[in-house]
């Protein structure tokens, strides 16, 4: 499974301005590309919403060799209820710790040299106060699971992830597709997993020819397929094939054909400006809407 790679985690964001500030100014990530859509995604990339939405990819480097965040913004929705499914992203950056202190962004030391902070919406990030590695500073995504052994069977035996660490006592497992990639950490918790409305999605790529085989495997194993193999269009960019799965706890997993995705995910030097323009236009729309409501009530 060495040809598979970890791509990104999808966050639903209600406040695009504050979210952009956190990822750009606190974490120090770059806007890699920004795309606007007039209607909901066929693979529910933006959640169960049919209206206008946007996608912003942010990371420490190109999507070809960095694990990044996909920020999805549904126009008109300012808040999503958090569940207990997403437990955090861990990254190495002394600069991010410094930025948070300088900007007075809430920061708490949970263990020596590791600081917890939150992105707008309540998503947790853990910052290791060291110089980042030459490779990707993003180390792992941690998801909660209700039955560690059942989840391990799914992610390792069915999806082919290698086990890097396993701690039965602490009920945690670290998995990944390659040594130099962001890892997936599964943390066992008591009780059921609640995805609420803010639920995210983790994405991986594989050679496009493997997608039908992956779909067949999940059918044979009676595993949940949320979106059967489908082609997704992005205006002016490559069309990609994806399949959306769900693990035993309902965590959403996207597998996308690698060849077309590398074409789609090329960094756009205009990405930051496009995001800023969209946010400015959105603020303008909000202002006019408020003015019209005020006049109507007056």
């Amino acid at each position: 499974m060495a040809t598979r790679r970890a791509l990104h985690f999808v966050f639903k964001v209600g406040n695009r301005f504050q979210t952009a500030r956190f990822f750009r100014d606190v974490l120090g990530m770059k806007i890699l590309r920004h795309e606007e859509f007039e209607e909901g995604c066929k693979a529910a990339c933006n959640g169960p919403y049919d209206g206008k939405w946007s996608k912003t990819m942010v990371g420490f480097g190109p999507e070809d060799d960095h694990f990044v965040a996909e920020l999805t913004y549904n126009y008109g929705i300012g808040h999503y209820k958090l569940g207990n499914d997403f437990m955090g992203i861990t990254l190495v950056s002394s600069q991010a710790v410094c930025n948070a202190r300088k900007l007075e962004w809430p920061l708490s030391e949970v263990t020596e040299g590791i600081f917890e902070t939150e992105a707008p919406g309540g998503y947790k990030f853990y910052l290791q106060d060291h110089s980042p590695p030459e490779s990707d500073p993003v180390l792992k995504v941690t998801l909660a699971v209700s039955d560690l052994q059942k989840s391990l069977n799914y992610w390792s035996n069915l999806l082919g992830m290698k086990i890097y660490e396993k701690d039965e006592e602490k009920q945690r497992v670290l998995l990944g597709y390659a040594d130099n990639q962001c890892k997936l950490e599964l943390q066992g918790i008591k009780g059921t997993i609640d995805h609420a409305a803010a639920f995210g999605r983790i994405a991986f790529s594989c050679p496009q020819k493997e997608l039908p085989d992956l779909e067949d495997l999940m059918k044979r194993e009676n595993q949940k397929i949320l979106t059967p193999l489908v082609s997704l269009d992005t205006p002016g960019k490559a069309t990609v094939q994806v399949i959306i799965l769900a693990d035993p706890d309902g965590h959403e997993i996207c597998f996308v054909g690698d060849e077309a995705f590398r074409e789609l995910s090329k960094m756009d030097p205009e990405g930051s400006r496009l995001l800023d323009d969209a946010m400015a236009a959105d603020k303008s729309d909000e202002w006019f809407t408020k003015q019209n409501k005020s006049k109507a009530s007056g």
Side-chain angles (χ1 to χ4, degrees):
M1 299 295 181
T3 52
R4 295 185 178 182
R5 62 190 179 103
L7 299 179
H8 55 257
F9 192 84
V10 182
F11 295 96
K12 295 191 193 73
V13 304
N15 186 322
R16 209 163 35 169
F17 180 81
Q18 284 297 330
T19 299
R21 183 167 178 254
F22 174 77
F23 281 93
R24 279 196 286 205
D25 300 342
V26 177
L27 296 187
M29 289 183 174
K30 303 181 183 73
I31 304 297
L32 304 173
R33 54 190 171 101
H34 176 79
E35 294 146 6
E36 295 277 333
F37 302 88
E38 292 300 318
E39 56 186 29
C41 172
K42 286 190 288 184
C45 300
N46 61 315
Y49 306 98
D50 295 328
K52 184 178 178 182
W53 67 288
S54 74
K55 173 199 297 181
T56 308
M57 310 303 290
V58 294
F60 289 107
E63 292 177 68
D64 268 359
D65 52 13
H66 287 74
F67 188 85
V68 308
E70 177 178 316
L71 312 177
T72 64
Y73 173 71
N74 290 290
Y75 282 82
I77 300 178
H79 175 74
Y80 300 91
K81 184 184 176 186
L82 275 176
N84 64 356
D85 52 348
F86 174 79
M87 299 187 75
I89 284 182
T90 301
L91 57 92
V92 183
S93 175
S94 53
Q95 186 60 55
V97 174
C98 180
N99 292 343
R101 285 172 173 156
K102 197 177 296 183
L103 294 169
E104 298 183 348
W105 199 276
L107 198 66
S108 60
E109 191 167 17
V110 291
T111 187
E112 188 176 355
I114 300 180
F115 295 84
E116 179 186 299
T117 189
E118 288 185 3
Y123 305 111
K124 292 187 184 302
F125 282 74
Y126 294 92
L127 315 179
Q128 293 189 6
D129 193 10
H130 304 292
S131 297
E134 290 185 13
S135 56
D136 190 0
V138 182
L139 299 183
K140 64 183 179 182
V141 176
T142 304
L143 300 179
V145 297
S146 60
D147 184 329
L148 188 61
Q149 192 52 50
K150 195 174 180 180
S151 295
L152 185 56
N153 176 65
Y154 182 91
W155 289 93
S156 181
N157 295 341
L158 295 184
L159 294 185
M161 278 191 155
K162 175 184 173 182
I163 299 172
Y164 281 86
E165 296 174 18
K166 187 177 181 182
D167 189 327
E168 294 278 7
E169 188 179 344
K170 293 183 178 178
Q171 282 288 290
R172 63 174 290 273
V173 176
L174 193 70
L175 306 116
Y177 282 121
D179 296 356
N180 62 345
Q181 290 183 19
C182 174
K183 305 299 186 295
L184 171 67
E185 182 178 56
L186 303 178
Q187 177 63 59
I189 65 169
K190 293 180 180 178
T192 57
I193 304 302
D194 176 17
H195 297 280
F199 65 91
R201 175 183 289 177
I202 191 165
F204 303 90
S205 74
C206 66
Q208 186 170 306
K209 65 182 181 182
E210 290 183 12
L211 291 173
D213 294 337
L214 179 59
E215 185 173 42
D216 289 342
L217 172 65
M218 292 300 156
K219 287 177 180 176
R220 288 198 307 272
E221 296 292 331
N222 294 315
Q223 297 295 331
K224 188 173 285 187
I225 298 173
L226 299 176
T227 303
L229 191 56
V230 64
S231 294
L232 298 183
D233 298 322
T234 298
K237 296 188 178 182
T239 296
V240 297
Q241 286 194 311
V242 306
I243 178 173
I244 312 298
L245 311 174
D247 81 348
D249 284 300
H251 290 290
E252 294 195 0
I253 310 149
C254 172
F255 273 91
V256 56
D258 190 72
E259 300 87 345
F261 186 78
R262 286 185 186 272
E263 181 65 29
L264 169 70
S265 62
K266 286 180 179 176
M267 185 172 176
D268 181 358
E270 293 294 303
S272 197
R273 181 191 62 79
L274 290 171
L275 172 61
D276 289 337
D277 288 352
M279 290 192 298
D282 196 19
K283 287 289 182 187
S284 176
D285 288 344
E286 285 179 17
W287 186 85
F288 280 116
T289 300
K290 286 178 182 176
Q291 292 299 307
N292 289 334
K293 282 183 178 177
S294 177
K295 287 177 183 176
S297 63

